[in-house]
Structure formats: structure tokens, C-alpha cells
Amino acid sequence: MSLDKVKLSASAFAVAALVTVSSGLLETAPAYAKTSDQPAVLNASAIAVADKFSADAAEQIFKEGGNAVDAAVAIAFTLAVTYPEAGNIGGGGFMTLYVDGKPYFLDYREKAPISATRNMYLDDKGNVIKGMSLFGYRAVGVPGTVEGMWEAQRRFGKLKWKQVLAPAIKYATDGFEVSEQLQQRRDDAAKDFAGKTNFDTYFGNLKQGVNFKQPDLAAVLTRIANQGAKDFYDGKTADLIAASMRGHGLITKQDLHEYKAVWRQPVEANWNGYHVITAPPPSSGGIGLVQLLKMKADLAPDFKDVPLNSAQYVHLIAEIEKRVFADRAQYLGDPDFYKVPVAQLIDDSYLAKRAAEVNPTTPSDTKSVQPGLGTSMPEKAETTHFSVIDKWGNAVSNTYTINGYFGSGVVVDGTGIVLNDEMDDFSAKPGMANQFGVVGSDANAIEPKKRPLSSMTPTILTKDGKVSLVIGTPGGSRIFTSIFQVINNVYDFNMPLQDAVAAMRFHHQLLPPNTIFWEPYKPIEGELAQQIEAKGYKLQGQDFSGDIQVIKVNGDTPEPAADPRGRGVTRMVQ
Ligand code: DON
């Protein structure tokens, strides 16, 4: 699949909500502690979400007294209904939280099925079988979203589980009006799935302007509301998923039964007076984002007086990105399988050394840019987006995905659940690019129960212990380069938030060599294109450069912004 045809479908949302916290409570009772009432520190709740229905859901939850985590979970389930191209219960994701002044990270990424094998997408000659990790039953990883939402809400939520499921159930039962963008994405995806999956049985009638109901999905959500995550992993829904896989795919009841979400230590770094809290492995995004931010800071003299998005700016950023993607390809994978050298990869002196390799005038030869810690393999281990900020100063940044739009195109019979194609995020063969054009090493080879390497980067910036920015986006390997650019626009160029989000974005990822990807929303053309080409770069269009959902806190007022590239909305809730 060519890069300009990359189809992307993660969904990110940002919420600022009413959350009640109890100082120190989590310290003494780390698991499943409930927050309690505290005076508000912000003058409103605010949300930036991928569609208006999930915004309504979040508003309802705030009005019922729910906190940021309750709102986030309600948004996630609602998007599974009203944003079916990416919102999901058949996929997985990451949640970065800042609760009661402390950072947390929840990994509910999909896992490879137990019977998955390293070469499962290769033919007899060892060549990758086109499309096999992207479409149909064998592309599906064991979904983690329901377990992730259950775990987050159980630990930090304030409302009853049933209350946070209620808006999603209503939209599935009563239907919602289909947007132009959703129908367009359905039509595009349906072409890929034609003859391969049962996609049209469920989504054949999805038409712009028409009310779309999903009774099977309503029944699943109702069971989950009544029985919790257990229904999905051990109950009737588990039976239906396993039955639909039988004879077609690898996921069994045992896979579902054994799935667990994991609380991990987030990647944390100090940058420009802010504390960055972001995604650790199995995401490459947090490390990538910190590397980008720090190397750009190291190169401040080179960036001095260089105008934003000028040819020289594009060149310098691309040089930094080259080095980040060289490290990504070599060192990153599931930390439950490989000891990823996180501390070394974000170490100040290591990054200063890497930044010093940047050629300030012309593109470095791609082949000369090698992984910075040496090419040895990571040591094998023995043992393994929405964003939210609330009136009480707590935040949730969540990115979740089914990978391509409508994932694998497989809908579980009798449920309406769209299953992911996250298996494509593994390296089907070391050195072979996936749909995002990124390559990987052994660290990201397929192994049973392993999580595929991700780029999702739900991020929170704090200053003096208070949340300053909650940010995230879909976009595959474009995720952390997009977030990086918006953060630069806000903090280095002091742009108003909405302008920072709307500004032109570009992307480089080492391979293909010296190629700068541009987006249809703000194409690189005319004189700028000529200047970039004159520096030795090729320009290539891509159809997507993210859908940023962000909240910035200005004093005691949260300011949400939704990317004009998508159908996201913002709302303030008093
Ligand atoms: O985990 C990842 O990095 C990808 N599966 C995310 C896919 C994505 O962002 C699609 N976006 N529009």
C-alpha cells in the first residue's frame, strides 16, 4: 500500500471535566481508590472530542456529577457507536492520566493471539502476503478497550459503571445522524473489504443524513453495562467473538479470558519548564516526542530566527525526525518481551550528541543515520488517545484505535463489534514497512500474547504540579510528529491554540529517504515546495495528518481546541 493511500483511524479526544480528588488517597490505596470532593481549581469543564455525540455524552456525565475519567469512559463507548471508523470496543489503546497530582498510564493495547506465529503473514518464499495483516479475521489482535475502560473507571471513576455506558447505549438503540465524513470513510473502506469480510452486512446502510441504529451493538453494550468487562472477555460476547473467529481467525475464548490491561510507568521528561507525561512502550510515541522536543531545544541556535514552516525549518525538523525514526525501528517493542532502553533513549546527553549530528544545511545521507545506541538488539526480558482535564485539576489523555478505518473490516456476527487490524503494527518481516511505512526489528516481531509497537502518544504537560496541556491525535507514525509540531507552535511560536492546531503540518520518518510528506489540508506548494526540493528533498502527499484534540489551561480557564481537519467539537461545561 502506498503511503499516500494510508488509511488512518485512531481517535483522540480531550475532555476537561469535573473531577473530585482526595489528596493522598491514591498513595495509601493505590488500587481502585475513589476520588472525593475537593474545591474546584478551574472555572469550567471543557471537552475537545472527535464528534458532537461524544461531546453530548460527556456533558451529560459532568452534569450527573461525574469526573474526568467517567467522562472519558462515556466518550470512548459513545465513539464506538457514533464514530465506528475508529472509536471502538474491538480495538485497544492507551490512557495517560494525571489524578490528584500524580501521573498514571494505562496500557490496553491489543495482544497477539496465543496461536500467532512470527511468520504468520509470510508465504512459502518468506515474502509478506499483501493485505493479510490488514483485512479479515487473521489481522485481528485480542481487543483491550473494554478491559481498559473497566479498569480506568473502576480505579478512578465516581459514577456507576452503568451511568457511563448509558449514552452509548442510547445512540446504538435510537441511532444517530450520519455525517458526510463518516459515509465517505465507510465508502472508501468498503472497497478494500469487498469480498473479504462481512462489513457490508452491518455498515451497508450507513448513509449521510440518515439515522443509523445498531441494535446488536446496543445489546452488547447493555450486557457490558450489566455485567462489566466480564461479558466481553468471559461471557456471551466472548462466545460470539470466538464463534465468529472459528475457522477464520486465531482468537479463542482463552485469548479473551487471559487479556489484561496493564498500569505502566509513563515516560516523563522535563522540557522548557514543563513536565511531559507521555506514553511508554509498547508505544514508540512518548519516547519519540521527548526526543523531538529535546533535540529541537538542543538546536536552539540553529533554529534562531528560522520562520515556522519555512524550508529551513522543515529541513531541521526532518533531520531530527530521521534520528528519532532510526531509534524507533531498532529498539522499540513490547516491554513485556524486550527491555526497551527507555532512560537511555531520552537521556539529555545522548540526545545532545544525536542533535549535534544534525546537518544544518543539507539532508544527512539516510544510510548514515543509524540507531544511536549501537545496532545490537535489545536485551530479551525474562519477565513484560482522548485527553481529559477537570475542574479539579485532573486530566485524562486517551488515544485508542482499530488501526485502519473500520479496522480489519470484520464485524463479529450478532454483535456489531468492528474488529481491529492491529496485527499490522507488528513487523511482519524485519525491515518490511507496515501500512504507515515504518519498519521494525526483532523487538517488534510477532510473538504470542505480545503487543504490537504503537505510535499513539496521549500526552499531558504540567507546570508546577498543575496541568498545562492535554493533547493527542490519531495518525499512525504521524502521531508524535504532529503533536510535536503543535506543541512547538504553542510554546515556541506563541500561537493561539486554535491557530497552532490549524497550522500546516509535515512529516518525515527516515524512510523513504529524504521524503517530506505534506497534507491536503495545508499543502506544501509553490515557492515553499521549490525551496524544500532545492534542499534535496522529495515531496509526497498523504491523505491525513492527524486530528488533534487538545486542551490548554490558561490560569484557571481551560481552553479546548478541536482540529479543523476532522469533525471534532469543543464544549465548556460549567
Ligand atoms: O498504534 C498505532 O500507532 C496505529 N495502529 C494507530 C493507527 C492510527 O493512528 C490511525 N489513524 N488515523
Side-chain angles (χ1 to χ4, degrees):
M1 177 176 297
S2 68
L3 274 165
D4 55 350
K5 288 272 184 282
V6 157
K7 290 183 304 309
L8 309 150
S9 76
S11 171
F13 60 82
V15 183
L18 308 177
V19 158
T20 49
V21 295
S22 155
S23 188
L25 185 63
L26 298 169
E27 202 125 62
T28 49
Y32 319 123
K34 297 287 174 195
T35 53
S36 62
D37 292 325
Q38 288 260 311
V41 296
L42 300 180
N43 56 27
S45 304
I47 55 170
V49 293
D51 77 1
K52 63 181 183 204
F53 307 110
S54 54
D56 288 344
E59 184 168 347
Q60 178 183 323
I61 294 297
F62 299 149
K63 289 187 171 153
E64 290 173 9
N67 65 25
V69 177
D70 294 313
V73 174
I75 291 166
F77 280 109
T78 299
L79 289 172
V81 177
T82 63
Y83 203 94
E85 71 267 45
N88 68 83
I89 58 172
F94 301 132
M95 186 183 280
T96 304
L97 305 95
Y98 194 71
V99 180
D100 197 16
K102 294 191 192 67
Y104 300 88
F105 181 84
L106 182 61
D107 171 0
Y108 59 94
R109 178 81 162 159
E110 300 92 326
K111 296 179 96 160
I114 294 163
S115 60
T117 52
R118 185 183 171 98
N119 296 334
M120 63 187 278
Y121 299 118
L122 304 186
D123 64 17
D124 294 347
K125 297 195 177 88
N127 296 322
V128 174
I129 303 167
K130 207 166 172 256
M132 198 175 174
S133 60
L134 284 173
F135 312 119
Y137 295 85
R138 292 178 73 87
V140 186
V142 184
T145 297
V146 175
E147 167 79 2
M149 294 306 129
W150 172 252
E151 185 64 24
Q153 211 270 340
R154 202 154 76 117
R155 184 166 184 177
F156 293 117
K158 196 174 159 217
L159 298 186
K160 293 201 168 63
W161 174 248
K162 275 189 188 179
Q163 267 174 289
V164 298
L165 266 290
I169 294 172
K170 179 175 76 68
Y171 286 119
T173 307
D174 299 345
F176 66 95
E177 191 183 318
V178 172
S179 66
E180 182 186 355
Q181 188 186 53
L182 174 53
Q183 189 193 330
Q184 186 60 55
R185 288 174 175 175
R186 187 221 80 88
D187 293 350
D188 291 347
K191 287 182 203 138
D192 286 329
F193 303 145
K196 299 187 189 100
T197 77
N198 63 344
F199 180 70
D200 266 348
T201 314
Y202 277 85
F203 291 95
N205 290 330
L206 190 147
K207 295 264 179 310
Q208 178 188 355
V210 175
N211 193 54
F212 185 64
K213 294 183 185 178
Q214 299 168 83
D216 285 357
L217 189 56
V220 171
L221 293 169
T222 304
R223 283 200 300 273
I224 293 173
N226 291 330
Q227 296 163 33
K230 199 170 173 18
D231 167 67
F232 193 94
Y233 295 96
D234 277 308
K236 182 168 179 186
T237 302
D239 290 340
L240 290 167
I241 296 172
S244 124
M245 279 281 155
R246 217 163 287 137
H248 303 285
L250 302 183
I251 297 175
T252 62
K253 282 207 69 180
Q254 194 189 348
D255 281 302
L256 293 162
H257 174 74
E258 290 185 15
Y259 183 87
K260 285 281 166 284
V262 189
W263 290 97
R264 298 194 191 274
Q265 200 61 39
V267 161
E268 294 182 66
N270 294 323
W271 165 81
N272 194 25
Y274 293 88
H275 189 64
V276 181
I277 303 161
T278 186
S283 180
S284 59
I287 290 173
L289 176 64
V290 170
Q291 290 192 326
L292 292 168
L293 290 169
K294 285 189 177 177
M295 281 197 269
K296 177 165 185 281
D298 287 331
L299 293 173
D302 295 281
F303 277 98
K304 191 165 181 298
D305 300 329
V306 175
L308 177 70
N309 293 336
S310 60
Q312 178 64 3
Y313 186 84
V314 171
H315 164 63
L316 290 171
I317 298 290
E319 277 288 285
I320 297 171
E321 290 173 338
K322 265 185 180 161
R323 281 139 186 107
V324 170
F325 277 91
D327 282 355
R328 182 193 191 278
Q330 181 71 16
Y331 304 117
L332 295 183
D334 183 346
D336 292 344
F337 286 73
Y338 279 95
K339 282 184 188 150
V340 180
V342 180
Q344 283 167 273
L345 288 168
I346 60 170
D347 177 71
D348 287 345
S349 52
Y350 167 64
L351 292 172
K353 201 173 102 226
R354 284 294 259 180
E357 293 166 11
V358 162
N359 184 326
T361 50
T362 51
S364 309
D365 175 38
T366 300
K367 285 198 203 72
S368 74
V369 181
Q370 294 293 323
L373 299 174
T375 49
S376 64
M377 286 310 305
E379 191 185 335
K380 189 129 182 149
E382 302 307 316
T383 46
T384 149
H385 184 72
F386 17 98
S387 310
V388 183
I389 184 171
D390 64 41
K391 219 167 175 174
W392 285 268
N394 304 303
V396 175
S397 182
N398 186 93
T399 312
Y400 72 154
T401 184
I402 40 177
N403 203 19
Y405 285 136
F406 297 97
S408 61
V410 173
V411 187
V412 178
D413 295 319
T415 72
I417 299 172
V418 181
L419 291 172
N420 67 84
D421 60 338
E422 224 68 59
M423 292 295 284
D424 189 63
D425 277 342
F426 280 116
S427 301
K429 182 177 173 179
M432 283 294 294
N434 72 0
Q435 70 162 330
F436 300 106
V438 283
V439 295
S441 72
D442 236 35
N444 190 34
I446 305 171
E447 294 182 59
K449 299 182 81 167
K450 188 174 177 181
R451 291 177 156 96
L453 182 60
S454 173
S455 297
M456 294 186 288
T457 317
T459 297
I460 297 171
L461 266 58
T462 63
K463 194 177 185 120
D464 303 327
K466 295 195 186 99
V467 172
S468 291
L469 197 79
V470 188
I471 186 165
T473 181
S477 57
R478 283 79 176 147
I479 290 176
F480 52 95
T481 60
S482 297
I483 294 174
F484 167 64
Q485 289 175 79
V486 174
I487 291 180
N488 276 332
N489 298 348
V490 171
Y491 293 107
D492 286 1
F493 289 90
N494 297 314
M495 287 170 77
L497 189 64
Q498 192 66 53
D499 296 352
V501 170
M504 176 193 111
R505 294 202 282 267
F506 60 91
H507 176 78
H508 173 70
Q509 56 178 34
L510 187 65
L511 295 173
N514 297 327
T515 302
I516 303 291
F517 291 95
W518 54 266
E519 50 163 352
Y521 182 69
K522 295 237 166 111
I524 295 182
E525 53 198 359
E527 208 180 325
L528 177 61
Q530 287 165 13
Q531 288 166 349
I532 295 172
E533 283 168 345
K535 283 186 172 293
Y537 291 101
K538 283 192 246 27
L539 289 167
Q540 188 173 327
Q542 61 182 17
D543 67 0
F544 190 85
S545 225
D547 187 16
I548 294 264
Q549 308 297 344
V550 57
I551 299 167
K552 181 169 179 277
V553 181
N554 307 312
D556 56 8
T557 306
E559 178 193 6
D563 203 319
R565 291 161 181 83
R567 60 184 197 267
V569 296
T570 65
R571 199 165 299 167
M572 303 278 279
V573 183
Q574 298 294 330

